Amino acid sequence: GAGVSQSPSNKVTEKGKDVELRCDPISGHTALYWYRQSLGQGLEFLIYFQGNSAPDKSGLPSDRFSAERTGGSVSTLTIQRTQQEDSAVYLCASSLVADRPETQYFGPGTRLLVL
Amino acid sequence: GQQLNQSPQSMFIQEGEDVSMNCTSSSIFNTWLWYKQDPGEGPVLLIALYKAGELTSNGRLTAQFGITRKDSFLNISASIPSDVGIYFCAGSRGNKLVFGAGTILRVKS
C-alpha cells in the first residue's frame, strides 16, 4: 500500500480481555517497529522486527505483551488480560532497513481504551 | 521513562510569530530528529540532524544539533494556522528512537 496501515483504528475493551492490533507496513520495508503513546507523552519504544525476527524486545512492558511478524510483512501486537493502564495509542512504523531508524514511516495508530 | 527533556510543554502564539522549542538529554545521540504529529495521525519527520553543530532548514523550519550531541532546537518562522500540532524531538541510538514528551503548538489566527 501507499503507507503504513493499522487496524482497528479504535478499540474499546473490558479489563481482562485480550486484544490484537494489526500493522501492515509499507511493501518492501524489512524493519517494523511498535511504539506506545500514552496521553500527553512521547512515543515509547516497544519492539522492533528485522524480517520475522525480533532482535530487540526490551520495550515490552510485561509478559502480557507479545508481538509477531509473519512473511516479513504483517505484524500483530497482542495484549493479554488487558489492564486500564494499557489504554494508549499504539503506533507502528516501518523502514527499508533497520539501521536507519530516522527513515521510519508511521501509521495512524490504534487507539485502545480499556474500561 | 523519557530520556529527552523537551520544552516548552505547550505554546499558544499569534499567527505570524516565530516559535522556538528545544530538547536536551543527558545522553549522546548519533542522530537528532524533529517530528510533527497531527491529531489522529502518526508523527511525520520534519528535519533530521546527523552532525554535531549542524544547522538545517526545511522551508520555515530551522533546526540545529548541539555541539555536545546532547541537545537540539527547532525554530518555526512566521507561524501559520496549519502549524498547530504536537512537535516531538527524538534521538536515535542503534536501531531505536527515543522520544521527548512533545511540545503542543496552538496558533491564534
Side-chain angles (χ1 to χ4, degrees):
Chain A
V4 178
S5 60
Q6 292 186 245
S7 60
S9 53
N10 294 281
K11 176 72 176 178
V12 181
T13 190
E14 293 178 348
K15 177 182 172 182
K17 301 277 190 183
D18 297 351
V19 295
E20 273 193 4
L21 312 180
R22 176 186 169 110
C23 173
D24 282 87
I26 293 172
S27 178
H29 280 195
T30 62
L32 185 148
Y33 307 78
W34 283 99
Y35 295 87
R36 179 169 69 175
Q37 184 176 21
S38 301
L39 189 64
Q41 299 295 316
L43 282 68
E44 173 191 6
F45 169 82
L46 298 179
I47 185 172
Y48 98 90
F49 289 89
Q50 176 60 46
N52 291 334
S53 63
D56 190 342
K57 307 178 183 179
S58 62
L60 294 177
S62 76
D63 59 7
R64 295 186 295 105
F65 288 71
S66 63
E68 66 174 14
R69 189 180 185 194
T70 55
S73 181
V74 172
S75 176
T76 55
L77 176 69
T78 301
I79 309 173
Q80 296 178 308
R81 305 181 302 282
T82 52
Q83 303 295 312
Q84 289 182 331
E85 62 262 29
D86 298 335
S87 298
V89 177
Y90 290 83
L91 289 156
C92 174
S94 70
S95 64
L96 204 53
V97 292
D99 61 356
R100 295 286 306 278
E102 71 272 21
T103 61
Q104 293 176 29
Y105 288 86
F106 284 85
T110 292
R111 281 145 196 81
L112 175 66
L113 177 62
V114 182
L115 301 176
Chain B
Q2 298 293 344
Q3 298 180 44
L4 298 186
N5 299 306
Q6 193 169 345
S7 65
Q9 288 185 332
S10 65
M11 306 180 71
F12 196 21
I13 62 169
Q14 283 286 133
E15 182 179 354
E17 286 184 346
D18 297 344
V19 174
S20 184
M21 58 191 80
N22 66 77
C23 212
T24 61
S25 171
S26 58
S27 305
I28 291 174
F29 289 99
N30 299 324
T31 303
W32 210 293
L33 311 167
W34 285 94
Y35 289 86
K36 179 177 183 246
Q37 185 177 29
D38 291 326
E41 302 293 329
V44 173
L45 182 66
L46 298 174
I47 290 181
L49 301 162
Y50 299 97
K51 298 179 183 177
E54 178 182 2
L55 183 71
T56 298
S57 293
N58 178 8
R60 294 180 296 107
L61 308 179
T62 303
Q64 184 159 28
F65 197 165
I67 289 291
T68 64
R69 292 184 170 270
K70 292 182 179 181
D71 64 295
S72 176
F73 71 76
L74 174 70
N75 287 341
I76 305 172
S77 62
S79 57
I80 59 178
S82 61
D83 289 335
V84 298
I86 306 177
Y87 291 79
F88 292 102
C89 61
S92 75
R93 184 179 294 131
N95 295 323
K96 293 196 294 194
L97 292 178
V98 178
F99 283 82
T103 292
I104 301 172
L105 182 63
R106 299 180 179 90
V107 180
K108 291 184 286 188
S109 301

